[in-house]
Amino acid sequence: MIDLKFLKENLPAVEQNIRNRNIQADAALVARLYDQRNAQARHLDSLRTRRNENASRMKGPLDAQARAALVEEGRRLKEEIAAEEAKLAGQEKTLAEEAAKIPNMAHPDAPVGKMDTDNRELKRVGRAPDFGFRPLDHVQLGEKLDLIDFDTATKVSGTKFYYLKNEAVFLELALTRYALDILAQNGFTPVITPDIAREEIVEGIGFNPRGPESNIYTIEGEGTCLVGTAEITLGGYHADRILDKEKLPIRMAGLSHCFRREAGAAGQFSRGLYRVHQFTKVEMFVYCLPEESEAWHGRLLALEEEIFSGLDIPYRVVDTCTGDLGAPAYRKFDIEAWMPGRGEGGEWGEVTSTSNCTDYQARRLGVRYRDEGGNRFVHMLNGTAIAVSRGIIAVMENFQQADGSIRIPPRLVPYTGFDRIGPRS
């Protein structure tokens, strides 16, 4: 949640930020509701003060008539305070609902735009492979090498589910352990998180658990959701806590399954493993001091680059435009890997994102730290170490061979125990 005092004092900038992000929100309404709530809170405080003064006067020597008048005044004040408290509660609920729609402010260097085509390319690393033959996509490779079964999964679970088989199972485990080892060497605490979170945690992180546009599966009657990312469970880990400043930054590497409805996702670039309802992911999460968050954002991006450059997968880094940021992010960098099986001649496909959410999520979740001047909100950042299904796409398509086999990147061989998959006879 954005700082409401900041919103009121910088209303034109907040409104421009909303337009840049292409989000439906009314900052002017939030400012009015904020003023009304504050005025109501002051009025309620004055009534409570009068109630306390009235109670104090009753402690002195009084005749029966004076005491009866004070008792009646006390009763009237009690009823009025109860009514005004209910009014304040309603105002706070409305304010919270409208304020939750206001996105975080965007970094001044974030490119302004509405779609991913407006993202700014920052650099490219590696070269697309020159096969000397027409490459297959991962769906075709998975069928030929008996690695992925979409048809049976559709029959058993529905569309956008899959079975991994044979060497693909070990490839998934290898990618997971490879990423975790890199993060552990960089001071991240490995964590296997729950795959379920309470709705208030999901909302606090910035995901919408309900409605036709939601990408989250809710568990009816339980007030919980299947997580779309370990960002939710890692961000909720310190909810409503005051952290020791000396222990910051806190670095966590969360392994979880991720469940996404992928409502409306369609098209050739969504086929196969690229957009699925369930996948495994290793997520980085950092709680840090406000003055350190931009530096940590750069470090998370560097770790993502280390993971993919270590796999010898060509990639590019993009600075995400304002309309594609998502409400909590102040700035977001994506890594897009080269995927030879996409389109005619290959195409870039997103494999990681890293976001600096500043204090936006911390305000919603109540995560603070003790400072000399009091308690302040931490800054919270997240980043994909490896979304395994997309990592599998990148490995399969970039390392396919003319004989139909797939070579394993050298850094993964110690984890897989083999250096090649197939070909099948």
Side-chain angles (χ1 to χ4, degrees):
M1 180 179 294
I2 195 169
D3 181 350
L4 297 182
K5 185 172 183 290
F6 173 89
L7 178 146
K8 180 173 167 52
E9 295 173 352
N10 299 272
L11 186 58
V14 173
E15 291 177 324
Q16 183 61 53
N17 181 63
I18 291 170
R19 288 191 291 271
N20 290 347
R21 285 174 171 263
N22 198 32
I23 286 176
Q24 297 298 315
D26 190 339
L29 171 61
V30 172
R32 290 196 300 273
L33 292 172
Y34 178 63
D35 284 343
Q36 291 169 7
R37 189 277 308 270
N38 290 345
Q40 178 67 11
R42 289 191 296 270
H43 174 58
L44 192 54
D45 284 342
S46 70
L47 289 175
R48 289 167 177 160
T49 299
R50 286 170 54 192
R51 178 191 61 190
N52 294 339
E53 291 171 347
N54 185 76
S56 295
R57 286 197 295 270
M58 291 181 65
K59 294 177 181 178
L62 297 167
D63 59 35
Q65 184 177 359
R67 182 172 296 278
L70 290 174
V71 169
E72 175 59 24
E73 175 68 2
R75 183 194 62 76
R76 188 191 66 77
L77 283 170
K78 180 180 179 181
E79 292 177 353
E80 186 176 359
I81 286 171
E84 295 302 316
E85 284 176 338
K87 182 178 178 181
L88 178 62
Q91 289 178 332
E92 288 182 331
K93 182 175 183 293
T94 302
L95 174 61
E97 290 172 350
E98 293 301 322
K101 300 174 185 177
I102 306 295
N104 199 356
M105 298 299 289
H107 191 287
D109 292 338
V112 176
K114 293 184 178 181
M115 303 174 64
D116 57 5
T117 51
D118 297 315
N119 294 345
R120 180 191 300 125
E121 182 177 316
L122 299 178
K123 68 176 178 178
R124 295 189 183 191
V125 177
R127 298 180 61 182
D130 184 6
F131 293 107
F133 61 90
R134 184 179 180 85
L136 303 178
D137 67 22
H138 70 282
V139 177
Q140 295 166 315
L141 289 165
E143 182 178 346
K144 284 180 174 293
L145 297 174
D146 196 22
L147 299 175
I148 314 171
D149 187 343
F150 293 103
D151 292 339
T152 303
T154 298
K155 180 179 68 175
V156 172
S157 304
T159 57
K160 295 189 180 293
F161 287 95
Y162 58 96
Y163 285 89
L164 290 183
K165 300 172 63 180
N166 298 314
E167 292 95 335
V169 173
F170 298 101
L171 179 56
E172 164 147 336
L173 297 174
L175 287 166
T176 301
R177 183 59 191 272
Y178 164 70
L180 282 171
D181 280 355
I182 290 175
L183 298 184
Q185 291 161 11
N186 281 274
F188 286 73
T189 301
V191 180
I192 295 178
T193 84
D195 289 336
I196 291 175
R198 296 184 184 276
E199 287 187 12
E200 56 264 32
I201 298 296
V202 175
E203 291 174 340
I205 287 293
F207 288 83
N208 176 19
R210 297 192 177 275
E213 299 302 316
S214 174
N215 206 16
I216 296 290
Y217 286 107
T218 57
I219 301 175
E220 293 303 322
E222 297 294 327
T224 57
C225 307
L226 297 177
V227 300
T229 166
E231 175 192 349
I232 294 170
T233 40
L234 295 176
Y237 192 89
H238 289 293
D240 299 317
R241 290 183 185 174
I242 299 175
L243 307 175
D244 291 334
K245 182 178 180 180
E246 294 73 22
K247 293 183 178 179
L248 298 175
I250 296 172
R251 290 164 280 180
M252 307 174 80
L255 172 63
S256 76
H257 295 109
C258 303
F259 302 89
R260 300 186 182 182
R261 293 177 60 232
E262 295 294 358
Q268 60 167 324
F269 289 171
S270 295
R271 72 189 297 257
L273 293 175
Y274 192 77
R275 290 197 185 278
V276 288
H277 290 314
Q278 177 184 336
F279 59 96
T280 302
K281 181 155 70 82
V282 178
E283 181 79 1
M284 301 179 286
F285 203 91
V286 175
Y287 300 83
C288 71
L289 298 174
E291 58 268 25
E292 297 178 350
S293 66
E294 286 210 52
W296 269 108
H297 197 200
R299 291 174 193 167
L300 293 183
L301 176 61
L303 283 167
E304 293 176 342
E305 290 196 66
E306 179 181 345
I307 288 168
F308 278 87
S309 61
L311 296 174
D312 298 322
I313 292 172
Y315 67 87
R316 68 174 183 172
V317 178
V318 299
D319 194 352
T320 306
C321 73
T322 53
D324 203 32
L325 278 177
Y330 172 65
R331 196 176 195 184
K332 181 160 74 85
F333 299 118
D334 288 351
I335 288 182
E336 297 177 348
W338 183 250
M339 297 183 176
R342 299 187 83 182
E344 291 295 327
E347 185 55 81
W348 301 105
E350 180 193 326
V351 288
T352 76
S353 291
T354 178
S355 300
N356 181 1
C357 297
T358 62
D359 61 359
Y360 188 87
Q361 295 171 325
R363 287 180 181 277
R364 296 160 73 107
L365 291 170
V367 187
R368 295 169 291 171
Y369 69 96
R370 246 180 228 99
D371 201 1
E372 294 79 7
N375 296 329
R376 300 177 60 194
F377 290 103
V378 300
H379 278 200
M380 294 162 65
L381 303 95
N382 64 83
T384 311
I386 190 82
V388 178
S389 55
R390 294 189 180 182
I392 289 174
I393 295 174
V395 170
M396 289 176 64
E397 294 189 0
N398 281 283
F399 289 92
Q400 59 184 296
Q401 306 296 303
D403 64 358
S405 65
I406 299 172
R407 185 168 59 86
I408 300 298
R411 288 287 297 276
L412 288 183
V413 172
Y415 298 101
T416 59
F418 50 84
D419 63 4
R420 186 176 295 267
I421 301 174
R424 305 292 188 215
S425 59

